[in-house]
Amino acid sequence: MPAGELLYPSQQHPPPADLSVEEDEAILWNQIKGEAKRDAEAEPALASYLYSTILSHSSLERSLSFHLGNKLCSSTLLSTLLYDLFLNTFASDPCLCAAAVADLRAARTRDPACVSFSHCLLNYKGFLACQAHRVAHKLWTQSRRPLALALHSRVSDVFAVDIHPAAKIGKGILFDHATGVVIGETAVIGNNVSILHHVTLGGTGKASGDRHPKIGDGVLIGAGATILGNVKIGDGAKIGAGSVVLIDVPPRTTAVGNPARLVGGKEKPAEHEECPGESMDHTSFISEWSDYII
Amino acid sequence: MPAGELLYPSQQHPPPADLSVEEDEAILWNQIKGEAKRDAEAEPALASYLYSTILSHSSLERSLSFHLGNKLCSSTLLSTLLYDLFLNTFASDPCLCAAAVADLRAARTRDPACVSFSHCLLNYKGFLACQAHRVAHKLWTQSRRPLALALHSRVSDVFAVDIHPAAKIGKGILFDHATGVVIGETAVIGNNVSILHHVTLGGTGKASGDRHPKIGDGVLIGAGATILGNVKIGDGAKIGAGSVVLIDVPPRTTAVGNPARLVGGKEKPAEHEECPGESMDHTSFISEWSDYII
Amino acid sequence: MPAGELLYPSQQHPPPADLSVEEDEAILWNQIKGEAKRDAEAEPALASYLYSTILSHSSLERSLSFHLGNKLCSSTLLSTLLYDLFLNTFASDPCLCAAAVADLRAARTRDPACVSFSHCLLNYKGFLACQAHRVAHKLWTQSRRPLALALHSRVSDVFAVDIHPAAKIGKGILFDHATGVVIGETAVIGNNVSILHHVTLGGTGKASGDRHPKIGDGVLIGAGATILGNVKIGDGAKIGAGSVVLIDVPPRTTAVGNPARLVGGKEKPAEHEECPGESMDHTSFISEWSDYII
Amino acid sequence: MPAGELLYPSQQHPPPADLSVEEDEAILWNQIKGEAKRDAEAEPALASYLYSTILSHSSLERSLSFHLGNKLCSSTLLSTLLYDLFLNTFASDPCLCAAAVADLRAARTRDPACVSFSHCLLNYKGFLACQAHRVAHKLWTQSRRPLALALHSRVSDVFAVDIHPAAKIGKGILFDHATGVVIGETAVIGNNVSILHHVTLGGTGKASGDRHPKIGDGVLIGAGATILGNVKIGDGAKIGAGSVVLIDVPPRTTAVGNPARLVGGKEKPAEHEECPGESMDHTSFISEWSDYII
Amino acid sequence: MPAGELLYPSQQHPPPADLSVEEDEAILWNQIKGEAKRDAEAEPALASYLYSTILSHSSLERSLSFHLGNKLCSSTLLSTLLYDLFLNTFASDPCLCAAAVADLRAARTRDPACVSFSHCLLNYKGFLACQAHRVAHKLWTQSRRPLALALHSRVSDVFAVDIHPAAKIGKGILFDHATGVVIGETAVIGNNVSILHHVTLGGTGKASGDRHPKIGDGVLIGAGATILGNVKIGDGAKIGAGSVVLIDVPPRTTAVGNPARLVGGKEKPAEHEECPGESMDHTSFISEWSDYII
Amino acid sequence: MPAGELLYPSQQHPPPADLSVEEDEAILWNQIKGEAKRDAEAEPALASYLYSTILSHSSLERSLSFHLGNKLCSSTLLSTLLYDLFLNTFASDPCLCAAAVADLRAARTRDPACVSFSHCLLNYKGFLACQAHRVAHKLWTQSRRPLALALHSRVSDVFAVDIHPAAKIGKGILFDHATGVVIGETAVIGNNVSILHHVTLGGTGKASGDRHPKIGDGVLIGAGATILGNVKIGDGAKIGAGSVVLIDVPPRTTAVGNPARLVGGKEKPAEHEECPGESMDHTSFISEWSDYII
């Protein structure tokens, strides 16, 4: 049993059914405040941090705006400016906060090292980079491109996560560890996808146009995988760690290796469970693939 | 057509022929100021940033010195100290600024996501890390090694780009995305090279001496490629993403895989176009290499 | 001969025999102060930095606490708070400082680019991240988990090194370059291990429990290697750069490739020298492995 | 003719009659943006500052909130927190912004050294301290006293202007130079008052209760004047520089000296113009008072 | 009744008799933490500040060291350095903390605007400047003069309170408002003294040697009073606001005016209560002095 | 004998005769570096500060530019911008540095509490404010008024010294303690003047035009003196502390009191030594003036 379970046993990770988005967010936000309150009491050295980032705020989007503004600011892009920008953008589109809620639940459910929602909100660079990306993407779609690119650059500097503001990303996304993730301009990512660190969704050269991967729903992409070009990774596919993928991968199949091949072969690829992006099963294909090698 | 083309349609990416280095720099600097001026007018939230980093400066090297000084400073290495150091080093060697100009043109020409020169100057961590490296390298050659290493360390912290100050790097270089690039002490990189993120030009052990790769002109090195040891990558060679290269690669050939092999085989390697470092063609070898696999 | 040798010719890298831990630390600290003093005199621009980080402090742990406090602070986690935390934790457990001493000696001995102990202390993000990890780990074992995780997050942001605070790490460790290293919650690393950048010691899914690699003493793990699952890498094993390892590797053997295989084959793996983690020999297996390929 | 007249000749200092408060504020805000725009064009070194503090904002209260947040923040009271607090308080009470408008007009009309509205908005510590006081006073009336006192303390540190948050201050106030002004808890200040630097409106001991001066409309208080106790300074009175006033001063009379006496004597005090707080006539009483002395 | 009484009705301002210094400090520190806890609960916006400055610390001297370190730091004198300096100096001499306790009680007892001990600890620049002075004075007596003078300079910049580190100051001191106080090198101040803002205890020229005032126990010095030269202000004397005093003032008499004269005349000075420094009665002499004037 | 004499016995305060301005500056700069070197060796805690502000710089103007840039910067006016501005302005007019040299010698000679030149350079807010004023004045004369006023405002915030950038100030000026000094737009100050804290050279109302005092050479103005209007204070005059002066004071006479009168009377003013601004004799007139009063 992971350590965190002991700390916050009462929480329910999946949102109860039949809730409106607002109710769902309110329940989660209350849980986050409860966690932060408990941690602040147990650890006075951290209380100031928990109050400034969570407990002094009236909503998840205000907390996120504050936290991102302070994380991403620099001497030439002030925290007040960024805070304002995040606040206003979150206010302009409720989907942004709903996606953050889904991402928090994704991390809490899928990552056994995630001990609480507040842990993810405060500390997961993948979560934070993704929320900053959503705001940058919103700015991009509003033709505020220089501002979107400045934000993109700050996220790349601060979190070492480089997501082009034009990239389209679904919700329920887990960027686990996240360092070194690179996602190109015309990439598209579905819902409930899990992407490990050092993953590249890259282009194929200097030609402009649609040139980056399209990732289906429920896909799991292992650490260090490189997917290049306008290829399609089907719903529920699994890409092994360190793989280099240059062509399409069918739904619910597993591709591994450099260059990647389908487990089970191209003709008879082995199908697996529906949603590896949620089950996070990285290695069940080991027996077929690598065991005989070492 | 990439978005950026619409924004700055009038620019000429390649420098007009028959210009002196000074004229070339002046033309580029004017274009950068024009871009920043337009963006500042369109986006008041960004205007302060654009004025402080670009529009208040009288030359590219002053702008760069300011921007790098503010990006790389810390509470123990003040921005004023770094600014001074950059200004003085740029002033001491005009080649540094000429190389920056060539790098800006390289990014603008080769990277379809680069919408303007100012975009690169402000936001590309690969560009900024490379310019900071050139200054650190200059300090290294002047036997100011502790200072060069302190600068090296700041670049590695801030940009996650780790280039040893002794490494020799040509001009017209594109470090695309750049996160995770590691280049060792005795590495040498030619002109017009393009290097993607997570690329390692590494050593071979604890023996000192000449132990890092030598990269020819016009080489393209794909994301995540690892090249180890004092090996020679010939002019115009192409290294596939995720490849692990431990021995020499002949000019104008393509090496892919882990361990890397030559496309077309060792005996009859397939030659390709002259300068993949400029054409940025990452994946034209797919049909030969990986298509049959998945 | 590497450049650094000329600068500090008199030092002895291995600690003289028959010294107590305190004497050993005192000797090393004196050497570090000597190096810093020399550098401050030679380079006035760096003197302020050297005085604030090294020369104004009375011991290695105070210097480290100050340096880490200033590197890892943010606008919401103040340097004074972190400084206090580091000071108190170092004071509570002398093993932490002894491990730092062993790590400094490891870097100085194994990395030919490491020109002095002070170079490592000031500039090596791998060294600094490891010391911060040891403190976070101590907090973790004291059930101060939210604080440990906050520190973990700062290290991941600032150094792009992501070591879960529960991971157990021995001493005499060299994290060389270090960018992108990810080490999971139940990973264990022995003594005298060398780990290059972009190395992942990852888990195998969303199941909690013991799910990360166990690395023996004296192991060398090359750049970009990915080791997944609760596998055992035997003492003195060597993992090639870019390898993806999913199952156990016997002691004193070499595993390379994606998926990794043993050099010499599974039945007759080639044994090598005792401690590649110390010899840092990355590439002696090239002739067997990759030469015939390109 | 003062220098400023040449710079901004077109402005009208008094607000045109028959304007609503909102129209008046809009006209002033437009004028401020016009001034800032002109200055930014003439002085690129200042443009970044002018954009961040004025030109990037959509209203006077947003600009003020930003400017005060950045001026008054500290490492333990973050600019984002203060910015939020100012924004929300200005939004909660339109009188706060109307008073700021009246104060700006007061400075521009009465102080010949005030060359533009933006000059006052950006640079006058008396203006800025007064606006911060109004917000602190609002918090005080909402029983948010610890927060009001924290703000009070920051204003006293940053501007050396110490106004207790309980003090009641009218509008159209000019605190000229302002350094060293001290105003106690139960002080009340009317409208259209001008107060020079080093002025004290102080109490009379450790008894609590109503113990500070009551200043009528249109009063002028010269530099260094000290008024102590629950005394009444009548409408249109004038207090000479350096005076020490311990008892009531009748309307439209002048008190000078230490201890203060009425010019013309207690029985026949010389009456003067209606509103010295607006005319700023400090010294017309010289011929009666001090000429014969030196 | 002052506002603060309602907030913290249970406190006892004077320390209970028969307590050791340590017990007294512990009681006060507990009361301060209680106040801060209550305020943090009532005002989430301030909670982070209260936790970082008070509630996360284990003792008054640690809290003070943290708060002063953060208030007085600059980009060239880091908060960590100052924090260390304060911590070590407080630890070296328990009298420093005992004097801080006495000063806190003095402010709480004498100043009706002081609503709580934590209010004074956090917000009173006079209190904070005085504690920083005590540390600077300690350094001065240890012949660490350049450091003492650097601290002196920071206090003068940040609080506009200029106390030479050689000046000797008793305990139970209230510097009320404090802005503009200047106290020279050879000044001596007794116990239980109250000094208002803008008070000068100055020298008499460029001759060195003992050249500043000596202030007895229980003295009250009104706002803006200037006392120059090696003169003696007797125990329990009272100096009126705005007075200029150039010669000795006998015990328990009142001097007022510029130049100062004794109330009641030089031959028959009016004696008053024992300790105006504690009673803070600024103006009871009004009827004798100034009433007849206006 | 003042403390400082023992510390730096070898220095010569007055510049040796027959030196060029450059030689004089070079001698002083060497002495300052010698002092800082000695202090850095004796006090490691201060060494970082001394290296960054003095020892790492090649000239007095570079050191001053760095120190002022760091003291006066804010989150919206960056240190790099101010550093640049100071550097360029000092470079444009050698008189600025010559005046700084004269001011340093003035402080060292006249103020017995000034223990070294470096003490003044680092710590005297009056000295620093005056040098920043000279730069602001230069900008003012170049019609860069908004920038001059922004600098003026920063000096008023940081040092509580408010000198209008149009005011003309000679050289060899000592602003002793300096807090609260206010000098208006059309004020003129001669050479070798000493001005204590809280001194006002103020205007006379809202009329523009020439409305501030003209201070002759060698004048001494005591603490808290207020001089208002376009009055002339003759060469070598002395203004007593706390005086309020509204009309001309003849050369070499002393004015005291509120309102000020001439010592010796208007008809037979007592003449005194030539240059009280240099002798700093504040109180020799006591016997005539105030002794008989108390």
Side-chain angles (χ1 to χ4, degrees), chain E:
Chain E
M1 185 188 304
E5 296 296 328
L6 290 173
L7 293 173
Y8 306 106
S10 66
Q11 68 205 337
Q12 292 180 291
H13 304 178
D18 300 326
L19 287 180
S20 72
V21 170
E22 289 75 19
E23 287 167 327
D24 185 22
E25 182 191 333
I27 287 171
L28 186 69
W29 178 236
N30 272 333
Q31 183 145 354
I32 288 171
K33 294 191 92 157
E35 295 167 1
K37 189 105 188 152
R38 207 171 327 178
D39 289 349
E41 275 160 22
E43 182 67 84
L46 208 59
S48 172
Y49 176 63
L50 293 165
Y51 272 94
S52 70
T53 50
I54 292 179
L55 290 164
S56 66
H57 298 283
S58 57
S59 67
L60 178 58
E61 52 268 48
R62 294 191 82 85
S63 170
L64 249 178
S65 297
F66 175 91
H67 197 39
L68 288 171
N70 279 295
K71 284 261 189 192
L72 297 176
C73 70
S74 73
S75 55
T76 48
L77 276 173
L78 296 181
S79 59
T80 35
L81 184 152
L82 292 178
Y83 175 58
D84 228 25
L85 185 65
F86 285 116
L87 269 189
N88 293 340
T89 312
F90 278 119
S92 76
D93 184 354
C95 294
L96 294 172
C97 196
V101 168
D103 294 352
L104 283 166
R105 293 201 185 278
R108 186 70 184 87
T109 307
R110 294 176 212 164
D111 180 0
C114 180
V115 298
S116 66
F117 292 114
S118 60
H119 174 204
C120 177
L121 172 61
L122 291 172
N123 297 328
Y124 272 40
K125 72 200 305 194
F127 172 75
L128 294 168
C130 187
Q131 310 320 309
H133 163 75
R134 294 192 208 284
V135 168
H137 180 65
K138 186 82 190 176
L139 296 169
W140 185 266
T141 63
Q142 296 166 336
S143 295
R144 302 178 72 181
R145 295 183 177 186
L147 190 54
L149 291 167
L151 195 50
H152 167 214
S153 164
R154 287 305 299 155
V155 174
S156 179
D157 285 2
V158 171
F159 296 128
V161 174
D162 180 342
I163 309 176
H164 193 284
K168 297 192 179 95
I169 298 186
K171 60 185 194 174
I173 306 299
L174 170 62
F175 286 107
D176 202 7
H177 305 294
T179 302
V181 163
V182 174
I183 296 175
E185 183 174 1
T186 61
V188 177
I189 296 174
N191 296 318
N192 302 316
V193 169
S194 291
I195 292 178
L196 275 283
H197 52 285
H198 299 318
V199 163
T200 295
L201 306 182
T204 49
K206 75 176 189 182
S208 53
D210 194 348
R211 64 199 185 280
H212 297 96
K214 308 295 174 280
I215 310 298
D217 292 340
V219 169
L220 168 65
I221 307 179
T226 302
I227 307 176
L228 298 180
N230 187 0
V231 301
K232 192 174 178 61
I233 309 300
D235 291 350
K238 189 156 45 175
I239 308 297
S243 302
V244 176
V245 179
L246 299 167
I247 56 177
D248 292 355
V249 174
R252 275 174 306 286
T253 63
T254 298
V256 294
N258 175 4
R261 59 189 177 78
L262 294 184
V263 171
K266 197 176 175 184
E267 303 309 314
K268 298 190 184 176
E271 289 221 359
H272 54 238
E273 28 67 280
E274 284 297 303
C275 194
E278 294 185 16
S279 66
M280 296 290 285
D281 172 6
H282 293 204
T283 52
S284 63
F285 52 83
I286 290 178
S287 58
E288 308 178 45
W289 179 48
S290 63
D291 183 38
Y292 64 94
I293 297 177
I294 291 192

Side-chain angles (χ1 to χ4, degrees), chain A residues 10-29 31 97-110 117 171-172 192 278:
Chain A
S10 66
Q11 68 204 336
Q12 291 180 293
H13 304 177
D18 300 326
L19 287 180
S20 72
V21 169
E22 290 75 18
E23 288 167 325
D24 184 23
E25 182 190 334
I27 287 171
L28 186 69
W29 177 236
Q31 183 146 355
C97 196
V101 168
D103 294 353
L104 283 166
R105 292 202 185 278
R108 187 70 184 85
T109 307
R110 294 177 211 161
F117 293 113
K171 60 186 192 173
N192 301 316
E278 294 185 16

